[in-house]
Amino acid sequence: MQIVKLLAAIAFAALVHFVGARLSDDFVRVIDVFVILVALHALRGNSLSALLVGLLVGLLRDSLTSGPFGLFGFAGTIVGYVTARLAQRLVIQRPTGVLAVVSFASVLQEAIVVGLAFLLLPTAELASPLWIAIRAGANGVLGMAVYVVTGH
């Protein structure tokens, strides 16, 4: 039953990504539904499951964007694993803790993507630090809202 819920959540995240990208060009700059999905799944504390979901969702995002294939797959794998290990070490019971963890996951993913881009690509484009902070805050708030609404 868990796998069905997970697949439905992934399909819903892809749908939200498509609809948001069609409505506004800035949606994908501000909101990353895929990192929110990975972080919320990783809050359960299962490192292997979070690692695999991060890989799957990251590769899905790579296939939906026009960037080099594999950057977000690699970053999603690390973000899923680190977030799950963090959830194993910390007791996250309040929605504000979820906000902090999802925001951290968003910044971590951006840092990994930027690092990989510098290592692997001939010309790396950097996102503005202001947009990284806005994205982290927006992702944290949306992740907290999803956490509260779904009653984790």
Side-chain angles (χ1 to χ4, degrees), residues 4-22 27-28 31-41 53-54 56-65 109 139 142-143 146 150:
V4 174
K5 288 181 183 179
L6 177 63
L7 292 175
I10 292 171
F12 184 70
L15 179 68
V16 168
H17 178 80
F18 279 131
V19 171
R22 295 277 184 227
F27 179 81
V28 292
I31 300 291
D32 186 358
V33 291
F34 299 113
V35 77
I36 295 170
L37 175 67
V38 170
L40 290 178
H41 180 76
V53 168
L56 174 70
V57 170
L59 291 176
L60 174 65
R61 178 163 182 205
D62 281 331
S63 67
L64 296 176
T65 58
Q109 177 182 2
N139 287 341
L142 186 59
V146 169
T150 57

Side-chain angles (χ1 to χ4, degrees), residues 36 39-40 42-44 82-84 86-106 136-137 139-148 152:
I36 295 170
L40 290 178
L43 283 176
R44 296 182 179 164
V82 168
T83 307
L86 189 65
Q88 290 171 1
R89 304 280 188 237
L90 300 175
V91 177
I92 302 169
Q93 296 177 340
R94 296 183 183 184
T96 53
V98 174
L99 181 136
V101 169
V102 173
S103 296
F104 167 75
S106 179
N139 287 341
V141 169
L142 186 59
M144 179 180 69
V146 169
Y147 182 82
V148 169
H152 276 288

Side-chain angles (χ1 to χ4, degrees), residues 39 54 56 67-68 73-74 76 83-84 93 109 116 120 135-136 149:
L56 174 70
F74 193 79
T83 307
Q93 296 177 340
Q109 177 182 2
L116 287 173
L120 301 174
R135 178 184 280 190
V149 168

Side-chain angles (χ1 to χ4, degrees), residues 47-80:
S47 299
L48 180 61
S49 174
L51 184 140
L52 293 174
V53 168
L55 175 64
L56 174 70
V57 170
L59 291 176
L60 174 65
R61 178 163 182 205
D62 281 331
S63 67
L64 296 176
T65 58
S66 61
F69 193 74
L71 286 180
F72 286 100
F74 193 79
T77 303
I78 294 172
V79 167

